[in-house]
Amino acid sequence: MIDVVLCLTQEHDLNLVALALVICLTGSLATVQLFSRVQASLGYRRFGWIILGAVGAGTMVWATHFVAMMAFRTTAPVILDPVLTLVSLLAVIGITVPGMALAAGGRRWSGAVGGGVIGLGIAVMHYVGMAAYRVDGIVTWKLPYVAGSILLSIGLSAIAFHVLNACDRWRTTSAVAWLSVAVVALHFTGMAAMKIAVLKLGHGLSGMTIVTLATTTTVATLIIVGCAAISALIDGHTQSETYRRLRHMALHDSLTDLPNRIAFIEELEARFAIRGGYQRMAVIMMDLSRFKVVNDTYGHQAGDQLLAALAARLSSILRPGECVARLGGDEFSAVVSYDDPAELLDFLDRLTTASEAPFLFDRFTASIGANIGVALAMRDGFDPDALLAKADLAMYRAKSAHSKAPCFYDAQMDDAVRERRELVADLRRALEAGAFELHYQVQASMPTGEICGYEALIRWNDPVRGMIPPARFIPLAEKSGDIVPLSNWILRRACGEAARWAEPYPVSVNLSPMHLSDRGLVETVRSVLEESGLPPERLMLELTESAIIHDKDFALQQLRALKAMGIAIALDDFGVGYSSLEVLRSFPFDRIKLDASFVSEIEHDAQAVSILRSVAALGVTLNMPVLAEGVEEPAQLAIVTREGCVAVQGYLTGRPSRTLADPDEVRRVAALRPQMVGVEAVA
Ligand code: C2E
Ligand code: CA
Ligand code: CA
């Protein structure tokens, strides 16, 4: 050790030694940078970075050695063999290539093994370089020093690349330090191993030439190494930029730029992980109420425009602790962490206002609104999935209750879900067991009171639950996918029974929107008519506007095929929902059924009467007779008849029943009208 220190201090020009150190440190830093690129790339890119890294490291080692040799003071004449000097440079580069490849291998000891190979390369460089250094004198080598220098180089360089593979904050700094120490230790231990017995005095190179050579080498090396390091930096930056962009794309919804489901769940997990932060947290689910109408009426582009505008609005109302995400379709979600429940209510208020305020675009305007469900962390769930599921349930409750106010989750909702699930299972069993039956409600022409048909209405009398209203189980069957088999059964049964009636009355069968979009519908109807022997003219299918709006082109295609078979089509529940002229104009319906809600208002509401009058007039214009539904009172009958409805259906003329109505009785009831007094006053 003392020999090494003595050799360094007494036999070297310390200024040039300092220059060598600058090269060594800068070069080591560049080597570490380049190596990080090797680690971050694959395939031919990795190979390219290995070559560049080896050139950087090799040049650094070689130049350090070269400048340090310039710093070495000897009284003997010296010449440098140019070929061997070049070979020493190529040797270290050549050995560093496999060294770097090994070091980037990714296994636990890859760094140490590869680093060792690089250390060997450094040693080879040094001793080939020494062979190029021809001194006019007797050179003797102390072998233990030679061996020690080689081992030091291998060991220290192995440590340098081993620490680079660790996940330590200071790994770059310590790797630079270890690598520099490896190069320096090898060189000066190697120099201490060499003893020169001077035979004749003289000068190899003049002092001035040495300084010029050393400085030029340093500058050239720094340029080469610097360029390599800069390309590593640029590549690293570009890659992390690309990574950042990819990550943003993976975690954000492309249409609205809001966080997506994955990001939202990550956010929830992060919030659950915080301890001692906010005391409370709520997860909110939002489902837009009339979004589908906008999408169906104005097209998907309009729908997208609306979603983007809503997202911008929602983002603009956020305060610290609040986050909004789009989970897909028209489903938005939000999370808020708060200390005081008033903050939660305030956030819900802002969400409601933002979704309800109308949207004005060049091409259209829209008012949507949202159904909002809320679940509270720790009370309703202890992890993101549970909270999301509970908020979802609460949102469905808000939706089914048509509630504009946010709905908070409560445990009864789980019961409701279970009950619905059981009902669906029972419904399947009932269908197999043939537990359904059809009731028929009479429809009468006005003003004569002649029976003009019957509407088939399904009944489910469950032995345990009792009578279950269709308004309860039909929507369930639609959701569970059981509606098509159920609907087929209804068709078959209605046609079969009607074919056996004593009088050839038409029979009306309700068609669910989902059944209309079933590709097998037309074929089913055809085979049902054939089997039952019911003439197509006696069958009328009733459907609502929503059935047509859903997938208009296909719906109309189906309707035309049915009509071509001679089947009549009625538009049911007209006046509620869309009530669009567009639908009325798009298909020649055989009947418009005015929804019962109008008739129930008619006695007290002049506006209902004028709507009734307009619809009846529209029916005349479009050549579609209007039937008034839900007529319960003679007064209502009188008004609807006077205003132009050509048929009625309701409890007044007959309730739905297993048996058909008595024609005389229907005529008698229909004739009650003229006796009514005071009716005129309403209109
Ligand atoms: P809808 O097609 O509008 O059927 C008329 C509903 O009004 C029937 O209720 C009927 O009993 C009731 N109604 C008739 N006259 C009066 C009246 O004067 N006053 C009052 N308050 N109600 C009256 P129901 O049978 O409970 O059916 C309800 C809904 O369930 C139906 O409305 C229809 O949408 C659906 N539905 C019923 N049967 C079937 C079916 O076989 N297939 C399909 N897809 N849906 C059905
Ligand atoms: Ca109906
Ligand atoms: Ca109806």
Side-chain angles (χ1 to χ4, degrees):
M1 183 71 189
I2 291 182
D3 280 355
V4 177
V5 176
L6 283 179
C7 160
L8 177 62
T9 51
Q10 293 180 0
E11 297 172 14
H12 283 80
D13 173 341
L14 288 181
N15 285 329
L16 290 183
V17 168
L19 209 52
L21 272 180
V22 169
I23 299 178
C24 183
L25 279 171
T26 325
S28 298
L29 182 62
T31 304
V32 168
Q33 288 284 359
L34 287 161
F35 184 66
S36 76
R37 293 293 83 217
V38 173
Q39 286 175 306
S41 49
L42 289 171
Y44 71 93
R45 274 172 53 87
R46 169 173 276 206
F47 181 68
W49 283 114
I50 287 177
I51 299 291
L52 213 54
V55 169
T59 313
M60 174 272 285
V61 172
W62 179 84
T64 307
H65 167 85
F66 188 82
V67 174
M69 285 312 297
M70 297 289 136
F72 184 60
R73 283 187 303 231
T74 174
T75 41
V78 173
I79 50 166
L80 274 180
D81 180 331
V83 177
L84 277 183
T85 306
L86 193 64
V87 168
S88 69
L89 172 64
L90 295 180
V92 62
I93 293 177
I95 298 175
T96 304
V97 170
M100 281 225 174
L102 281 172
R107 289 175 205 280
R108 189 151 176 236
W109 296 107
S110 299
V113 173
V117 172
I118 294 171
L120 182 69
I122 298 173
V124 169
M125 187 273 126
H126 178 84
Y127 287 104
V128 175
M130 290 314 293
Y133 190 82
R134 301 265 163 78
V135 192
D136 205 351
I138 300 170
V139 178
T140 48
W141 294 91
K142 295 185 198 158
L143 281 182
Y145 278 81
V146 173
S149 71
I150 295 175
L151 287 180
L152 268 176
S153 171
I154 293 177
L156 292 170
S157 164
I159 296 176
F161 283 86
H162 183 69
V163 298
L164 257 187
N165 277 343
C167 296
D168 183 351
R169 249 178 88 212
W170 297 103
R171 64 201 190 105
T172 307
T173 320
S174 49
V176 171
W178 285 111
L179 191 59
S180 309
V181 172
V183 175
V184 172
L186 164 85
H187 184 86
F188 292 104
T189 317
M191 291 308 286
M194 183 177 74
K195 276 287 157 274
I196 303 171
V198 182
L199 296 178
K200 75 172 185 225
L201 288 178
H203 298 291
L205 296 162
S206 78
M208 201 48 216
T209 319
I210 287 177
V211 172
T212 315
L213 247 173
T215 315
T216 320
T217 310
T218 307
V219 172
T221 306
L222 290 183
I223 289 174
I224 295 173
V225 168
C227 284
I230 286 169
S231 33
L233 276 178
I234 293 174
D235 186 65
H237 179 75
T238 319
Q239 241 188 26
S240 55
E241 180 67 13
T242 314
Y243 174 74
R244 204 190 54 74
R245 219 172 311 135
L246 281 178
R247 191 175 150 77
H248 185 89
M249 268 163 62
L251 293 179
H252 287 77
D253 165 49
S254 57
L255 175 67
T256 61
D257 208 38
L258 287 181
N260 62 14
R261 184 181 287 273
I262 304 171
F264 189 65
I265 291 182
E266 269 184 19
E267 172 74 29
L268 292 185
E269 275 165 357
R271 291 189 188 213
F272 266 109
I274 296 176
R275 299 224 174 268
Y278 288 102
Q279 290 302 301
R280 306 151 194 243
M281 171 166 110
V283 168
I284 295 149
M285 287 290 257
M286 294 173 71
D287 184 77
L288 305 187
S289 310
R290 286 174 292 277
F291 174 71
K292 244 188 94 44
V293 182
V294 174
N295 228 358
D296 292 338
T297 318
Y298 302 105
H300 287 286
Q301 231 179 341
D304 286 357
Q305 201 177 358
L306 184 68
L307 288 175
L310 175 68
R313 221 184 245 179
L314 292 176
S315 305
S316 72
I317 61 162
L318 294 183
R319 298 200 185 137
E322 301 168 351
C323 164
V324 174
R326 180 178 174 219
L327 303 192
D330 61 344
E331 227 181 55
F332 289 80
S333 194
V335 58
V336 51
S337 301
Y338 57 96
D339 294 315
D340 179 356
E343 293 169 48
L344 168 62
L345 296 181
D346 174 60
F347 182 45
L348 291 173
D349 220 38
R350 276 180 281 134
L351 287 178
T352 313
T353 314
S355 58
E356 272 175 5
F359 289 90
L360 311 174
F361 299 107
D362 290 345
R363 211 157 57 82
F364 68 101
T365 59
S367 285
I368 43 170
N371 294 119
I372 296 180
V374 188
L376 306 179
M378 304 311 163
R379 194 196 73 167
D380 302 334
F382 296 90
D383 60 70
D385 284 344
L387 266 196
L388 275 173
K390 303 284 156 87
D392 213 39
L393 269 184
M395 189 261 296
Y396 273 108
R397 171 59 63 88
K399 198 170 172 170
S400 55
H402 301 287
S403 159
K404 282 185 176 177
C407 185
F408 284 73
Y409 169 82
D410 71 57
Q412 282 172 359
M413 289 177 191
D414 279 329
D415 300 342
V417 171
R418 199 173 318 116
E419 207 182 303
R420 270 206 298 274
R421 221 177 282 140
E422 282 168 13
L423 198 61
V424 169
D426 286 355
L427 186 136
R428 281 178 197 153
R429 271 195 290 275
L431 192 57
E432 277 161 23
F436 292 101
E437 59 177 29
L438 293 182
H439 283 198
Y440 297 93
Q441 186 175 30
V442 70
Q443 299 167 329
S445 290
M446 295 307 286
T448 59
E450 292 303 318
I451 293 175
C452 61
Y454 283 89
E455 177 177 4
L457 293 160
I458 190 163
R459 295 292 175 259
W460 178 10
N461 197 352
D462 186 75
V464 182
R465 300 171 200 264
M467 205 59 157
I468 306 167
R472 172 113 198 273
F473 65 83
I474 295 278
L476 267 188
E478 283 174 340
K479 264 196 208 122
S480 70
D482 294 296
I483 189 68
V484 174
L486 182 64
S487 208
N488 284 341
W489 179 88
I490 296 168
L491 256 177
R492 192 157 278 124
R493 175 60 71 98
C495 293
E497 291 187 340
R500 291 195 297 274
W501 287 343
E503 297 291 327
Y505 296 125
V507 63
S508 287
V509 176
N510 291 287
L511 203 63
S512 145
M514 290 192 70
H515 203 185
L516 185 66
S517 53
D518 176 42
R519 299 197 171 263
L521 174 70
V522 176
E523 250 338 283
T524 312
V525 173
R526 200 190 307 276
S527 78
V528 163
L529 288 175
E530 259 171 35
E531 274 168 37
S532 63
L534 187 78
E537 300 74 38
R538 282 185 58 200
L539 178 62
M540 179 179 264
L541 295 176
E542 293 190 2
L543 41 94
T544 55
E545 280 167 290
S546 58
I548 297 163
I549 293 234
H550 195 61
D551 176 359
K552 200 164 168 207
D553 292 341
F554 185 64
L556 292 179
Q557 186 188 325
Q558 296 264 75
L559 288 183
R560 282 190 207 108
L562 291 167
K563 192 155 173 113
M565 286 162 63
I567 295 164
I569 310 288
L571 187 60
D572 204 357
D573 300 348
F574 189 76
V576 293
Y578 310 94
S579 305
S580 77
L581 254 177
E582 175 78 10
V583 170
L584 276 183
R585 265 204 309 240
S586 64
F587 189 79
F589 293 100
D590 298 281
R591 171 184 283 168
I592 297 174
K593 294 189 78 177
L594 189 67
D595 192 70
S597 56
F598 285 96
V599 178
S600 65
E601 314 251 302
I602 222 162
E603 285 169 282
H604 323 282
D605 185 350
Q607 204 183 355
V609 177
S610 58
I611 293 176
L612 172 76
R613 189 176 299 152
S614 326
V615 174
L618 197 65
V620 172
T621 319
L622 297 171
N623 197 20
M624 298 175 191
V626 177
L627 175 149
E629 278 192 291
V631 176
E632 295 180 350
E633 307 286 337
Q636 294 168 339
L637 180 70
I639 299 172
V640 300
T641 311
R642 188 194 65 210
E643 297 305 338
C645 293
V646 298
V648 295
Q649 177 182 348
Y651 292 170
L652 183 69
T653 39
R655 290 188 176 249
S657 140
R658 271 303 296 151
T659 50
L660 300 191
D662 172 4
D664 290 335
E665 177 61 16
V666 175
R667 266 195 295 269
R668 191 191 62 76
V669 171
L672 283 177
R673 281 172 301 122
Q675 300 165 9
M676 288 304 303
V677 280
V679 172
E680 300 298 321
V682 178

